[in-house]
mmCIF file of all heavy atoms in Angstrom:
data_model
loop_
_atom_site.group_PDB
_atom_site.id
_atom_site.type_symbol
_atom_site.label_atom_id
_atom_site.label_comp_id
_atom_site.label_asym_id
_atom_site.label_seq_id
_atom_site.Cartn_x
_atom_site.Cartn_y
_atom_site.Cartn_z
ATOM 1 N N ILE R 1 0.829 -1.218 0.017
ATOM 2 C CA ILE R 1 0.012 0.026 -0.017
ATOM 3 C C ILE R 1 0.867 1.248 0.003
ATOM 4 O O ILE R 1 0.783 2.065 -0.927
ATOM 5 C CB ILE R 1 -0.967 0.080 1.213
ATOM 6 C CG1 ILE R 1 -1.944 -1.086 1.132
ATOM 7 C CG2 ILE R 1 -1.701 1.375 1.267
ATOM 8 C CD1 ILE R 1 -2.864 -1.104 2.357
ATOM 9 N N MET R 2 1.697 1.434 1.089
ATOM 10 C CA MET R 2 2.451 2.648 1.187
ATOM 11 C C MET R 2 3.696 2.472 2.013
ATOM 12 O O MET R 2 3.742 1.648 2.948
ATOM 13 C CB MET R 2 1.608 3.736 1.840
ATOM 14 C CG MET R 2 2.247 5.090 1.868
ATOM 15 S SD MET R 2 1.016 6.436 2.074
ATOM 16 C CE MET R 2 0.120 6.341 0.532
ATOM 17 N N ASP R 3 4.722 3.213 1.664
ATOM 18 C CA ASP R 3 6.032 3.162 2.368
ATOM 19 C C ASP R 3 6.243 4.481 3.130
ATOM 20 O O ASP R 3 6.306 5.528 2.511
ATOM 21 C CB ASP R 3 7.168 2.917 1.330
ATOM 22 C CG ASP R 3 8.493 2.745 1.994
ATOM 23 O OD1 ASP R 3 8.608 2.713 3.234
ATOM 24 O OD2 ASP R 3 9.482 2.595 1.261
ATOM 25 N N TYR R 4 6.195 4.394 4.441
ATOM 26 C CA TYR R 4 6.412 5.557 5.310
ATOM 27 C C TYR R 4 7.845 5.506 5.821
ATOM 28 O O TYR R 4 8.492 4.466 5.695
ATOM 29 C CB TYR R 4 5.480 5.519 6.514
ATOM 30 C CG TYR R 4 4.017 5.770 6.176
ATOM 31 C CD1 TYR R 4 3.163 4.674 6.055
ATOM 32 C CD2 TYR R 4 3.526 7.031 5.970
ATOM 33 C CE1 TYR R 4 1.797 4.917 5.725
ATOM 34 C CE2 TYR R 4 2.208 7.250 5.638
ATOM 35 C CZ TYR R 4 1.348 6.180 5.542
ATOM 36 O OH TYR R 4 0.033 6.387 5.235
ATOM 37 N N PRO R 5 8.385 6.615 6.395
ATOM 38 C CA PRO R 5 9.743 6.581 6.913
ATOM 39 C C PRO R 5 9.991 5.509 7.989
ATOM 40 O O PRO R 5 11.096 4.942 8.072
ATOM 41 C CB PRO R 5 9.911 8.001 7.523
ATOM 42 C CG PRO R 5 8.974 8.825 6.744
ATOM 43 C CD PRO R 5 7.788 7.966 6.459
ATOM 44 N N ASP R 6 8.982 5.193 8.783
ATOM 45 C CA ASP R 6 9.200 4.249 9.865
ATOM 46 C C ASP R 6 8.503 2.891 9.727
ATOM 47 O O ASP R 6 8.712 1.973 10.462
ATOM 48 C CB ASP R 6 8.716 4.875 11.214
ATOM 49 C CG ASP R 6 7.217 5.159 11.176
ATOM 50 O OD1 ASP R 6 6.645 5.348 10.096
ATOM 51 O OD2 ASP R 6 6.632 5.244 12.283
ATOM 52 N N ARG R 7 7.638 2.753 8.687
ATOM 53 C CA ARG R 7 6.913 1.474 8.498
ATOM 54 C C ARG R 7 6.443 1.358 7.027
ATOM 55 O O ARG R 7 6.466 2.280 6.305
ATOM 56 C CB ARG R 7 5.716 1.416 9.472
ATOM 57 C CG ARG R 7 4.651 2.471 9.144
ATOM 58 C CD ARG R 7 3.571 2.487 10.231
ATOM 59 N NE ARG R 7 2.549 3.458 9.963
ATOM 60 C CZ ARG R 7 2.617 4.722 10.238
ATOM 61 N NH1 ARG R 7 3.698 5.250 10.778
ATOM 62 N NH2 ARG R 7 1.617 5.506 9.956
ATOM 63 N N VAL R 8 6.024 0.138 6.707
ATOM 64 C CA VAL R 8 5.476 -0.169 5.410
ATOM 65 C C VAL R 8 4.112 -0.800 5.621
ATOM 66 O O VAL R 8 3.970 -1.665 6.469
ATOM 67 C CB VAL R 8 6.382 -1.152 4.600
ATOM 68 C CG1 VAL R 8 5.833 -1.408 3.214
ATOM 69 C CG2 VAL R 8 7.797 -0.619 4.529
ATOM 70 N N LEU R 9 3.097 -0.352 4.879
ATOM 71 C CA LEU R 9 1.760 -0.900 5.023
ATOM 72 C C LEU R 9 1.412 -1.836 3.833
ATOM 73 O O LEU R 9 1.770 -1.549 2.701
ATOM 74 C CB LEU R 9 0.743 0.197 5.070
ATOM 75 C CG LEU R 9 0.800 1.129 6.294
ATOM 76 C CD1 LEU R 9 -0.290 2.206 6.186
ATOM 77 C CD2 LEU R 9 0.592 0.360 7.534
ATOM 78 N N PHE R 10 0.675 -2.900 4.150
ATOM 79 C CA PHE R 10 0.220 -3.852 3.172
ATOM 80 C C PHE R 10 -1.236 -4.264 3.493
ATOM 81 O O PHE R 10 -1.671 -4.064 4.649
ATOM 82 C CB PHE R 10 1.006 -5.154 3.244
ATOM 83 C CG PHE R 10 2.460 -5.001 2.939
ATOM 84 C CD1 PHE R 10 3.366 -4.704 4.000
ATOM 85 C CD2 PHE R 10 2.952 -5.097 1.673
ATOM 86 C CE1 PHE R 10 4.715 -4.575 3.755
ATOM 87 C CE2 PHE R 10 4.304 -4.948 1.409
ATOM 88 C CZ PHE R 10 5.168 -4.702 2.425
ATOM 89 N N THR R 11 -1.943 -4.775 2.503
ATOM 90 C CA THR R 11 -3.151 -5.549 2.783
ATOM 91 C C THR R 11 -2.791 -6.992 2.583
ATOM 92 O O THR R 11 -1.909 -7.314 1.801
ATOM 93 C CB THR R 11 -4.331 -5.170 1.871
ATOM 94 O OG1 THR R 11 -3.938 -5.350 0.514
ATOM 95 C CG2 THR R 11 -4.735 -3.716 2.075
ATOM 96 N N ALA R 12 -3.490 -7.854 3.286
ATOM 97 C CA ALA R 12 -3.185 -9.271 3.184
ATOM 98 C C ALA R 12 -4.382 -10.071 3.761
ATOM 99 O O ALA R 12 -5.250 -9.519 4.386
ATOM 100 C CB ALA R 12 -1.899 -9.667 3.919
ATOM 101 N N THR R 13 -4.335 -11.369 3.543
ATOM 102 C CA THR R 13 -5.244 -12.273 4.198
ATOM 103 C C THR R 13 -4.494 -12.992 5.308
ATOM 104 O O THR R 13 -3.468 -13.618 5.042
ATOM 105 C CB THR R 13 -5.819 -13.275 3.203
ATOM 106 O OG1 THR R 13 -6.494 -12.604 2.158
ATOM 107 C CG2 THR R 13 -6.782 -14.239 3.866
ATOM 108 N N VAL R 14 -4.960 -12.822 6.566
ATOM 109 C CA VAL R 14 -4.328 -13.416 7.718
ATOM 110 C C VAL R 14 -5.393 -14.296 8.389
ATOM 111 O O VAL R 14 -6.453 -13.815 8.750
ATOM 112 C CB VAL R 14 -3.836 -12.332 8.707
ATOM 113 C CG1 VAL R 14 -3.215 -12.956 9.928
ATOM 114 C CG2 VAL R 14 -2.912 -11.378 8.000
ATOM 115 N N ASP R 15 -5.042 -15.550 8.566
ATOM 116 C CA ASP R 15 -5.996 -16.528 9.150
ATOM 117 C C ASP R 15 -7.352 -16.459 8.421
ATOM 118 O O ASP R 15 -8.415 -16.423 9.049
ATOM 119 C CB ASP R 15 -6.202 -16.225 10.660
ATOM 120 C CG ASP R 15 -4.956 -16.426 11.431
ATOM 121 O OD1 ASP R 15 -4.116 -17.275 11.022
ATOM 122 O OD2 ASP R 15 -4.760 -15.762 12.462
ATOM 123 N N GLU R 16 -7.294 -16.397 7.121
ATOM 124 C CA GLU R 16 -8.461 -16.433 6.225
ATOM 125 C C GLU R 16 -9.360 -15.245 6.397
ATOM 126 O O GLU R 16 -10.552 -15.271 6.103
ATOM 127 C CB GLU R 16 -9.255 -17.743 6.412
ATOM 128 C CG GLU R 16 -8.422 -18.963 6.050
ATOM 129 C CD GLU R 16 -9.187 -20.242 6.176
ATOM 130 O OE1 GLU R 16 -10.394 -20.189 6.289
ATOM 131 O OE2 GLU R 16 -8.535 -21.300 6.091
ATOM 132 N N ARG R 17 -8.817 -14.125 6.856
ATOM 133 C CA ARG R 17 -9.588 -12.880 6.945
ATOM 134 C C ARG R 17 -8.771 -11.719 6.422
ATOM 135 O O ARG R 17 -7.555 -11.714 6.573
ATOM 136 C CB ARG R 17 -10.050 -12.628 8.401
ATOM 137 C CG ARG R 17 -8.859 -12.454 9.362
ATOM 138 C CD ARG R 17 -9.321 -12.168 10.812
ATOM 139 N NE ARG R 17 -8.206 -12.198 11.711
ATOM 140 C CZ ARG R 17 -7.293 -11.260 11.885
ATOM 141 N NH1 ARG R 17 -7.361 -10.127 11.160
ATOM 142 N NH2 ARG R 17 -6.322 -11.401 12.763
ATOM 143 N N PRO R 18 -9.443 -10.713 5.818
ATOM 144 C CA PRO R 18 -8.680 -9.575 5.327
ATOM 145 C C PRO R 18 -8.112 -8.737 6.477
ATOM 146 O O PRO R 18 -8.759 -8.638 7.547
ATOM 147 C CB PRO R 18 -9.735 -8.762 4.553
ATOM 148 C CG PRO R 18 -11.036 -9.237 5.039
ATOM 149 C CD PRO R 18 -10.844 -10.641 5.545
ATOM 150 N N ALA R 19 -6.919 -8.215 6.255
ATOM 151 C CA ALA R 19 -6.263 -7.445 7.341
ATOM 152 C C ALA R 19 -5.389 -6.363 6.762
ATOM 153 O O ALA R 19 -4.908 -6.470 5.627
ATOM 154 C CB ALA R 19 -5.451 -8.408 8.227
ATOM 155 N N LEU R 20 -5.127 -5.384 7.551
ATOM 156 C CA LEU R 20 -4.106 -4.368 7.309
ATOM 157 C C LEU R 20 -2.856 -4.891 8.025
ATOM 158 O O LEU R 20 -2.934 -5.274 9.180
ATOM 159 C CB LEU R 20 -4.520 -3.016 7.825
ATOM 160 C CG LEU R 20 -3.573 -1.880 7.588
ATOM 161 C CD1 LEU R 20 -3.384 -1.598 6.107
ATOM 162 C CD2 LEU R 20 -4.109 -0.636 8.261
ATOM 163 N N VAL R 21 -1.735 -4.884 7.337
ATOM 164 C CA VAL R 21 -0.480 -5.385 7.900
ATOM 165 C C VAL R 21 0.558 -4.250 7.873
ATOM 166 O O VAL R 21 0.702 -3.556 6.883
ATOM 167 C CB VAL R 21 0.048 -6.607 7.081
ATOM 168 C CG1 VAL R 21 1.370 -7.077 7.627
ATOM 169 C CG2 VAL R 21 -0.984 -7.728 7.127
ATOM 170 N N THR R 22 1.285 -4.091 8.957
ATOM 171 C CA THR R 22 2.329 -3.104 9.015
ATOM 172 C C THR R 22 3.662 -3.769 9.381
ATOM 173 O O THR R 22 3.693 -4.655 10.283
ATOM 174 C CB THR R 22 2.001 -1.950 9.975
ATOM 175 O OG1 THR R 22 3.022 -0.955 9.914
ATOM 176 C CG2 THR R 22 1.821 -2.400 11.377
ATOM 177 N N TYR R 23 4.698 -3.328 8.705
ATOM 178 C CA TYR R 23 6.063 -3.793 9.071
ATOM 179 C C TYR R 23 6.833 -2.610 9.605
ATOM 180 O O TYR R 23 6.994 -1.595 8.914
ATOM 181 C CB TYR R 23 6.736 -4.369 7.820
ATOM 182 C CG TYR R 23 8.237 -4.583 8.033
ATOM 183 C CD1 TYR R 23 8.691 -5.643 8.788
ATOM 184 C CD2 TYR R 23 9.183 -3.739 7.426
ATOM 185 C CE1 TYR R 23 10.063 -5.864 8.958
ATOM 186 C CE2 TYR R 23 10.535 -3.975 7.644
ATOM 187 C CZ TYR R 23 10.967 -5.014 8.396
ATOM 188 O OH TYR R 23 12.297 -5.200 8.589
ATOM 189 N N ASN R 24 7.250 -2.646 10.838
ATOM 190 C CA ASN R 24 8.031 -1.566 11.463
ATOM 191 C C ASN R 24 9.470 -1.686 11.042
ATOM 192 O O ASN R 24 10.133 -2.685 11.397
ATOM 193 C CB ASN R 24 7.854 -1.616 12.997
ATOM 194 C CG ASN R 24 8.457 -0.471 13.691
ATOM 195 O OD1 ASN R 24 9.629 -0.140 13.471
ATOM 196 N ND2 ASN R 24 7.670 0.218 14.513
ATOM 197 N N LYS R 25 10.001 -0.683 10.397
ATOM 198 C CA LYS R 25 11.380 -0.696 9.927
ATOM 199 C C LYS R 25 12.445 -0.690 11.022
ATOM 200 O O LYS R 25 13.523 -1.198 10.877
ATOM 201 C CB LYS R 25 11.644 0.479 9.001
ATOM 202 C CG LYS R 25 10.847 0.421 7.715
ATOM 203 C CD LYS R 25 11.104 1.643 6.845
ATOM 204 C CE LYS R 25 10.290 1.670 5.603
ATOM 205 N NZ LYS R 25 10.628 2.874 4.818
ATOM 206 N N GLU R 26 12.119 -0.084 12.147
ATOM 207 C CA GLU R 26 13.083 0.066 13.239
ATOM 208 C C GLU R 26 13.246 -1.182 14.058
ATOM 209 O O GLU R 26 14.349 -1.619 14.373
ATOM 210 C CB GLU R 26 12.709 1.253 14.112
ATOM 211 C CG GLU R 26 12.818 2.573 13.328
ATOM 212 C CD GLU R 26 12.380 3.742 14.151
ATOM 213 O OE1 GLU R 26 12.110 3.600 15.376
ATOM 214 O OE2 GLU R 26 12.226 4.866 13.589
ATOM 215 N N ASP R 27 12.122 -1.776 14.488
ATOM 216 C CA ASP R 27 12.232 -2.963 15.342
ATOM 217 C C ASP R 27 11.884 -4.299 14.662
ATOM 218 O O ASP R 27 11.923 -5.327 15.243
ATOM 219 C CB ASP R 27 11.436 -2.786 16.643
ATOM 220 C CG ASP R 27 9.935 -2.650 16.398
ATOM 221 O OD1 ASP R 27 9.471 -2.942 15.270
ATOM 222 O OD2 ASP R 27 9.237 -2.291 17.349
ATOM 223 N N HIS R 28 11.462 -4.186 13.371
ATOM 224 C CA HIS R 28 11.202 -5.349 12.506
ATOM 225 C C HIS R 28 10.022 -6.219 12.906
ATOM 226 O O HIS R 28 9.864 -7.329 12.450
ATOM 227 C CB HIS R 28 12.460 -6.259 12.414
ATOM 228 C CG HIS R 28 13.682 -5.461 12.045
ATOM 229 N ND1 HIS R 28 13.891 -4.969 10.755
ATOM 230 C CD2 HIS R 28 14.750 -5.085 12.766
ATOM 231 C CE1 HIS R 28 15.047 -4.322 10.735
ATOM 232 N NE2 HIS R 28 15.577 -4.372 11.934
ATOM 233 N N TRP R 29 9.095 -5.663 13.744
ATOM 234 C CA TRP R 29 7.877 -6.403 14.086
ATOM 235 C C TRP R 29 6.835 -6.274 13.006
ATOM 236 O O TRP R 29 6.701 -5.203 12.390
ATOM 237 C CB TRP R 29 7.298 -5.919 15.400
ATOM 238 C CG TRP R 29 8.033 -6.410 16.614
ATOM 239 C CD1 TRP R 29 8.929 -5.730 17.371
ATOM 240 C CD2 TRP R 29 7.980 -7.714 17.133
ATOM 241 N NE1 TRP R 29 9.417 -6.542 18.367
ATOM 242 C CE2 TRP R 29 8.864 -7.770 18.254
ATOM 243 C CE3 TRP R 29 7.279 -8.875 16.791
ATOM 244 C CZ2 TRP R 29 9.022 -8.914 19.006
ATOM 245 C CZ3 TRP R 29 7.484 -10.039 17.552
ATOM 246 C CH2 TRP R 29 8.341 -10.033 18.644
ATOM 247 N N VAL R 30 6.091 -7.358 12.757
ATOM 248 C CA VAL R 30 4.998 -7.344 11.822
ATOM 249 C C VAL R 30 3.709 -7.428 12.665
ATOM 250 O O VAL R 30 3.578 -8.288 13.483
ATOM 251 C CB VAL R 30 5.067 -8.526 10.837
ATOM 252 C CG1 VAL R 30 3.844 -8.585 9.952
ATOM 253 C CG2 VAL R 30 6.354 -8.440 10.014
ATOM 254 N N LEU R 31 2.787 -6.452 12.417
ATOM 255 C CA LEU R 31 1.543 -6.409 13.134
ATOM 256 C C LEU R 31 0.402 -6.519 12.132
ATOM 257 O O LEU R 31 0.565 -6.096 10.975
ATOM 258 C CB LEU R 31 1.389 -5.113 13.864
ATOM 259 C CG LEU R 31 2.594 -4.706 14.813
ATOM 260 C CD1 LEU R 31 2.324 -3.308 15.373
ATOM 261 C CD2 LEU R 31 2.712 -5.681 15.930
ATOM 262 N N SER R 32 -0.752 -7.034 12.546
ATOM 263 C CA SER R 32 -1.916 -7.065 11.652
ATOM 264 C C SER R 32 -3.160 -6.615 12.416
ATOM 265 O O SER R 32 -3.212 -6.743 13.646
ATOM 266 C CB SER R 32 -2.119 -8.471 11.084
ATOM 267 O OG SER R 32 -2.609 -9.341 12.065
ATOM 268 N N LYS R 33 -4.106 -6.122 11.661
ATOM 269 C CA LYS R 33 -5.380 -5.651 12.247
ATOM 270 C C LYS R 33 -6.495 -5.984 11.282
ATOM 271 O O LYS R 33 -6.506 -5.518 10.140
ATOM 272 C CB LYS R 33 -5.291 -4.154 12.512
ATOM 273 C CG LYS R 33 -6.514 -3.588 13.159
ATOM 274 C CD LYS R 33 -6.320 -2.136 13.445
ATOM 275 C CE LYS R 33 -7.591 -1.566 14.095
ATOM 276 N NZ LYS R 33 -7.522 -0.145 14.257
ATOM 277 N N GLY R 34 -7.453 -6.770 11.746
ATOM 278 C CA GLY R 34 -8.630 -7.095 10.957
ATOM 279 C C GLY R 34 -9.590 -5.943 10.928
ATOM 280 O O GLY R 34 -9.484 -4.994 11.758
ATOM 281 N N GLU R 35 -10.555 -5.953 10.063
ATOM 282 C CA GLU R 35 -11.461 -4.819 9.893
ATOM 283 C C GLU R 35 -12.314 -4.549 11.107
ATOM 284 O O GLU R 35 -12.749 -3.452 11.311
ATOM 285 C CB GLU R 35 -12.299 -4.992 8.638
ATOM 286 C CG GLU R 35 -13.092 -6.278 8.576
ATOM 287 C CD GLU R 35 -13.628 -6.534 7.184
ATOM 288 O OE1 GLU R 35 -13.485 -5.719 6.291
ATOM 289 O OE2 GLU R 35 -14.239 -7.601 7.037
ATOM 290 N N ALA R 36 -12.593 -5.534 11.918
ATOM 291 C CA ALA R 36 -13.466 -5.311 13.113
ATOM 292 C C ALA R 36 -12.682 -5.259 14.393
ATOM 293 O O ALA R 36 -13.217 -5.116 15.469
ATOM 294 C CB ALA R 36 -14.496 -6.448 13.197
ATOM 295 N N GLN R 37 -11.355 -5.264 14.315
ATOM 296 C CA GLN R 37 -10.502 -5.253 15.509
ATOM 297 C C GLN R 37 -10.191 -3.828 15.954
ATOM 298 O O GLN R 37 -10.003 -2.910 15.100
ATOM 299 C CB GLN R 37 -9.183 -5.946 15.241
ATOM 300 C CG GLN R 37 -9.295 -7.452 15.124
ATOM 301 C CD GLN R 37 -7.921 -8.038 14.828
ATOM 302 O OE1 GLN R 37 -7.542 -8.141 13.695
ATOM 303 N NE2 GLN R 37 -7.220 -8.398 15.893
ATOM 304 N N MET R 38 -10.087 -3.606 17.240
ATOM 305 C CA MET R 38 -9.687 -2.329 17.779
ATOM 306 C C MET R 38 -8.184 -2.192 17.918
ATOM 307 O O MET R 38 -7.607 -1.104 17.824
ATOM 308 C CB MET R 38 -10.328 -2.082 19.132
ATOM 309 C CG MET R 38 -11.848 -1.848 19.076
ATOM 310 S SD MET R 38 -12.518 -1.511 20.689
ATOM 311 C CE MET R 38 -11.786 0.087 21.032
ATOM 312 N N PHE R 39 -7.515 -3.334 18.209
ATOM 313 C CA PHE R 39 -6.104 -3.293 18.488
ATOM 314 C C PHE R 39 -5.337 -4.176 17.480
ATOM 315 O O PHE R 39 -5.854 -5.096 16.896
ATOM 316 C CB PHE R 39 -5.838 -3.802 19.904
ATOM 317 C CG PHE R 39 -6.560 -3.042 20.957
ATOM 318 C CD1 PHE R 39 -7.733 -3.527 21.540
ATOM 319 C CD2 PHE R 39 -6.156 -1.798 21.347
ATOM 320 C CE1 PHE R 39 -8.430 -2.821 22.483
ATOM 321 C CE2 PHE R 39 -6.830 -1.020 22.261
ATOM 322 C CZ PHE R 39 -7.969 -1.533 22.861
ATOM 323 N N TRP R 40 -4.032 -3.847 17.383
ATOM 324 C CA TRP R 40 -3.187 -4.599 16.490
ATOM 325 C C TRP R 40 -2.749 -5.959 17.111
ATOM 326 O O TRP R 40 -2.529 -6.008 18.349
ATOM 327 C CB TRP R 40 -1.905 -3.807 16.185
ATOM 328 C CG TRP R 40 -2.143 -2.625 15.313
ATOM 329 C CD1 TRP R 40 -2.484 -1.367 15.790
ATOM 330 C CD2 TRP R 40 -2.086 -2.542 13.914
ATOM 331 N NE1 TRP R 40 -2.635 -0.516 14.719
ATOM 332 C CE2 TRP R 40 -2.409 -1.211 13.564
ATOM 333 C CE3 TRP R 40 -1.833 -3.449 12.916
ATOM 334 C CZ2 TRP R 40 -2.450 -0.776 12.236
ATOM 335 C CZ3 TRP R 40 -1.890 -3.032 11.593
ATOM 336 C CH2 TRP R 40 -2.179 -1.694 11.292
ATOM 337 N N ASP R 41 -2.672 -6.997 16.312
ATOM 338 C CA ASP R 41 -2.107 -8.284 16.775
ATOM 339 C C ASP R 41 -0.661 -8.335 16.369
ATOM 340 O O ASP R 41 -0.299 -8.000 15.237
ATOM 341 C CB ASP R 41 -2.812 -9.446 16.056
ATOM 342 C CG ASP R 41 -4.235 -9.662 16.530
ATOM 343 O OD1 ASP R 41 -4.572 -9.268 17.702
ATOM 344 O OD2 ASP R 41 -5.059 -10.201 15.755
ATOM 345 N N VAL R 42 0.188 -8.770 17.330
ATOM 346 C CA VAL R 42 1.603 -8.938 16.981
ATOM 347 C C VAL R 42 1.689 -10.322 16.339
ATOM 348 O O VAL R 42 1.314 -11.342 16.854
ATOM 349 C CB VAL R 42 2.471 -8.911 18.236
ATOM 350 C CG1 VAL R 42 3.900 -9.255 17.939
ATOM 351 C CG2 VAL R 42 2.386 -7.525 18.932
#
């Protein structure tokens, strides 16, 4: 989707559900968030 200075955003299917995925460039963690979720999953 987009490359920011500190992270990269993607869309993906995670556990058979659509999600927004972010990759943090500094600490290398990948987080995902489904459309009905309030918080990010590590």
Side-chain angles (χ1 to χ4, degrees):
I1 296 178
M2 188 159 292
D3 187 1
Y4 291 100
D6 63 336
R7 66 188 181 278
V8 183
L9 294 178
F10 299 90
T11 58
T13 300
V14 179
D15 297 330
E16 298 183 12
R17 61 179 171 77
L20 181 63
V21 176
T22 184
Y23 169 73
N24 186 308
K25 294 179 183 179
E26 294 175 10
D27 63 13
H28 309 287
W29 282 104
V30 175
L31 309 173
S32 72
K33 182 177 179 186
E35 54 194 357
Q37 289 179 272
M38 291 184 66
F39 303 103
W40 290 89
D41 289 333
V42 175

